[in-house]
Amino acid sequence: QVQLVESGGDSVQAGGSLTLSCEISGDGYTGYYRAAWFRQVPGKEREGVAMIDNYAKEYYADSVKGRFTVSEVRNRLSLQMNALKPEDSAVYYCACATKRAALSRSWSEPNSYHFWGQGTQVTVSS
């Protein structure tokens, strides 16, 4: 079983920065094909924010390009968020896909990920 534990959520002013972290662990964990960040606000679907694949290639939602950076070092997935906007407020989740079959789907599809963290709240005030 694989466990993902997020941290770093906070309340910040618009224009500020925040870094989220996600520790990936588990006895059966041998690596990922994709590791991603999603976010969700009440009443809306979970939205893909950023993803890094097993070749260290990065992918971003248009809404965060140039402001957010995803990285992974030694099973710690991070999301550096700069120039935050009120519309970035959400619960942020990390997720990883550990099966090759996930590659047949878009990286932003939540159903293509096999393990999820519990979420961390980010609130950006204007």
Side-chain angles (χ1 to χ4, degrees), residues 1-41:
Q1 189 70 4
V2 179
Q3 292 86 41
L4 288 80
V5 179
E6 300 105 335
S7 61
D10 206 345
S11 297
V12 297
Q13 294 284 329
S17 298
L18 205 58
T19 301
L20 304 182
S21 296
C22 173
E23 296 287 343
I24 307 173
S25 65
D27 290 341
Y29 180 64
T30 57
Y32 59 83
Y33 286 95
R34 293 172 172 171
W37 289 95
F38 285 76
R39 64 188 181 188
Q40 190 169 25
V41 296

Side-chain angles (χ1 to χ4, degrees), residues 63 98 121:
S63 60
T98 57
Q121 177 71 48

Side-chain angles (χ1 to χ4, degrees), residues 62-74:
D62 288 342
S63 60
V64 306
K65 278 181 183 175
R67 300 189 297 121
F68 289 14
T69 303
V70 62
S71 61
E72 185 272 330
V73 176
R74 294 183 180 180

Side-chain angles (χ1 to χ4, degrees), residues 36-100:
W37 289 95
F38 285 76
R39 64 188 181 188
Q40 190 169 25
V41 296
K44 291 193 175 182
E45 294 185 354
R46 197 165 290 192
E47 172 193 23
V49 174
M51 185 273 284
I52 186 166
D53 69 14
N54 55 332
Y55 294 102
K57 188 172 181 181
E58 301 166 25
Y59 300 79
Y60 297 95
D62 288 342
S63 60
V64 306
K65 278 181 183 175
R67 300 189 297 121
F68 289 14
T69 303
V70 62
S71 61
E72 185 272 330
V73 176
R74 294 183 180 180
N75 296 330
R76 171 176 284 192
L77 182 70
S78 298
L79 184 68
Q80 174 67 44
M81 304 186 292
N82 297 325
L84 283 162
K85 305 175 181 179
E87 51 264 42
D88 294 320
S89 297
V91 177
Y92 283 71
Y93 299 89
C94 60
C96 68
T98 57
K99 299 177 183 178
R100 178 177 283 276

Side-chain angles (χ1 to χ4, degrees), residues 34 36-38 45-51 95-97 101-116:
R34 293 172 172 171
W37 289 95
F38 285 76
E45 294 185 354
R46 197 165 290 192
E47 172 193 23
V49 174
M51 185 273 284
C96 68
L103 301 181
S104 65
R105 297 186 176 186
S106 168
W107 72 266
S108 60
E109 286 189 31
N111 288 340
S112 64
Y113 293 84
H114 306 102
F115 299 99
W116 291 84

